[in-house]
Amino acid sequence: MAGDRENFSSRLAVIMALAGSAIGLGNIWRFPYMVGKHGGGAFIIIYIVCSLLVSLPVFFSEVVLGKYTRRGALGAVRKVAPKWSWAGYMGIIASFVITSYYSVVGGWSLDYFVRSIFGGFKGLSFEASAGIFASMSASGWETLVCFFVFLLLTAIIVAVGVDKGIGNFSKVMMPLLFLMIVLIVIKSMSLPGAKQGLEYLMKPDFSKLDGPGIAAALGQSFFSLSLGVGCVLTYSSYMKENEKIVPTGLWTALFDTFFALLAGFAVMPAVFSVEGMEPGAGPSLVFETLPVIFSRMGTVVPIIFFFAVLIAALSSSISMYEVVVAWLVDEKHISRKKAVPLVFVAAAVLGAVCAVAPKVFSACDFATSNIFMTLGAFVFSIVVGWIMPEEAVRSTFSNRIYPFVRFLIKWVAPVAIAAIAVTNLL
Ligand code: PHE
């Protein structure tokens, strides 16, 4: 069986696929807002420290698990630590739930991309824009159709296969995504709000950096690197034997952070170019404020921006979808061609509920990003740090860095995650 398993054909495909999973809506609407809210440059410093000391070790743990077992989330955990199998199931469920509600937002970006092509935002006022968003998200059929099409696009890429579908899509789309966001940054930086926007993002204010701020930095870093739900684990199970995992991890984290900063440089100057505008988190920023500002810069800018949002969302949704498909293929011995439609039907049902019931949507978001991801990340580091045979872990790293990485996986990551989880509960 193991010999038949699919593989990514090149290092570039692995890095681009991992970067694709990491770079998503979290970078575009969550990161810029979190930075501004939690002390600008001070938050960025803590974010980078958390990424290096906690997230990267968790990332490496997932890579080790996937690469060593050549199985998806459940098979991998079950093979090395049968008692912790529940964490494998949890990863699959979390990935499934994220696929469903994330695709609703993916559907909105598809809707906005199509609207921008037809010049739907020309001369738009802020009130009218808020009205468009409210009526779109409240109108059952429009949201549902766009959600289905987005989910279908995700399913098609996954159905084509690991290398030909996910790998090729990522190799072409990720560089294009960078190019698009750089173009928007250049445009945005020429706006009158550029200085204020940059200040909001970069000026360090250490007084705002309290316990919740640090917890937010770690949470954002987990979400952004797609950790704790088995995405990195599953993609890593398709790596070739000789893949160098430390540089791969570092490149992914670097691309992800760089992209988040670029998104901040694209979004914040635009927001501050309007008198009295406050940067709001989430959908209101991307779908209400930005269409107005970007459409004032010409017809093409909103088209590029919403295409970028769409691609970023798609490259992430395929990674969650693949976690569920890998489970059906590895553990239930169902072919990929059959597994993909099965997941589609199930995700279409849950997603449709999320699309029309905002409370279900928020509950899914809260449970996955605050509970499942943290718990999953904790378990992956414990399994690799404490339970897996040490030889298997050692052979993945060079002798020089192994002791350091081991210390991070075994002690720093689980202790930091537990400490932050406890602080959040108190
Ligand atoms: N990393 C993605 C983003 O930033 C979200 C994601 C979470 C993707 C969990 C996969 C798994 O948008």
Side-chain angles (χ1 to χ4, degrees), residues 21-22 24-27 98 102 223-224 226 229 231 316 319-320 373:
S21 172
L25 299 165
N27 303 56
I98 305 178
Y102 202 88
F223 186 82
S224 197
S226 315
V229 293
C231 283
S316 296
S319 72
M320 314 157 198
M373 294 188 107

Side-chain angles (χ1 to χ4, degrees), residues 185-319:
V185 171
I186 295 172
K187 273 286 199 184
S188 220
M189 287 298 192
S190 63
L191 289 170
K195 195 165 160 270
Q196 236 184 318
L198 282 187
E199 255 174 34
Y200 179 80
L201 267 182
M202 306 300 283
K203 203 173 166 196
D205 177 357
F206 286 94
S207 70
K208 281 201 197 144
L209 208 67
D210 42 10
I214 296 171
L218 187 66
Q220 172 64 19
S221 168
F222 278 176
F223 186 82
S224 197
L225 283 170
S226 315
L227 295 176
V229 293
C231 283
V232 175
L233 189 160
T234 305
Y235 273 8
S236 307
S237 71
Y238 304 124
M239 277 179 183
K240 293 226 176 93
E241 212 59 55
N242 53 0
E243 180 67 45
K244 294 192 182 68
I245 79 166
V246 175
T248 302
L250 289 171
W251 277 116
T252 308
L254 192 77
F255 281 146
D256 186 44
T257 308
F258 187 54
F259 189 91
L261 287 171
L262 283 178
F265 296 155
V267 168
M268 287 308 164
V271 173
F272 282 94
S273 68
V274 181
E275 199 68 40
M277 208 64 196
E278 272 297 313
S284 67
L285 175 65
V286 172
F287 296 106
E288 288 179 28
T289 314
L290 293 180
V292 181
I293 302 166
F294 284 153
S295 62
R296 288 181 188 165
M297 293 149 94
T299 338
V300 192
V301 179
I303 300 181
I304 297 180
F305 177 73
F306 283 107
F307 188 56
V309 179
L310 177 63
I311 295 304
L314 251 182
S315 65
S316 296
S317 66
I318 53 179
S319 72

Side-chain angles (χ1 to χ4, degrees), residues 18 48-67 76-77 87 90-91 217-236 239 245-246 248-250 252-253 371-386 388 393 396-397 404-418 420:
L18 283 167
I48 291 174
V49 171
C50 284
S51 298
L52 289 175
L53 294 183
V54 186
S55 301
L56 266 178
V58 173
F59 185 97
F60 290 145
S61 305
E62 287 203 32
V63 176
V64 168
L65 276 169
K67 215 169 157 241
V77 181
M90 192 179 72
L218 187 66
Q220 172 64 19
S221 168
F222 278 176
F223 186 82
S224 197
L225 283 170
S226 315
L227 295 176
V229 293
C231 283
V232 175
L233 189 160
T234 305
Y235 273 8
S236 307
M239 277 179 183
I245 79 166
V246 175
T248 302
L250 289 171
T252 308
I371 304 169
F372 290 177
M373 294 188 107
T374 320
L375 196 55
F378 180 77
V379 172
F380 291 143
S381 62
I382 293 287
V383 167
V384 172
W386 294 87
M388 212 171 147
V393 186
T396 332
F397 299 95
F404 179 58
V405 175
R406 179 155 188 83
F407 178 70
L408 292 179
I409 294 180
K410 205 171 163 136
W411 293 103
V412 179
V415 170
I417 298 170
I420 282 171

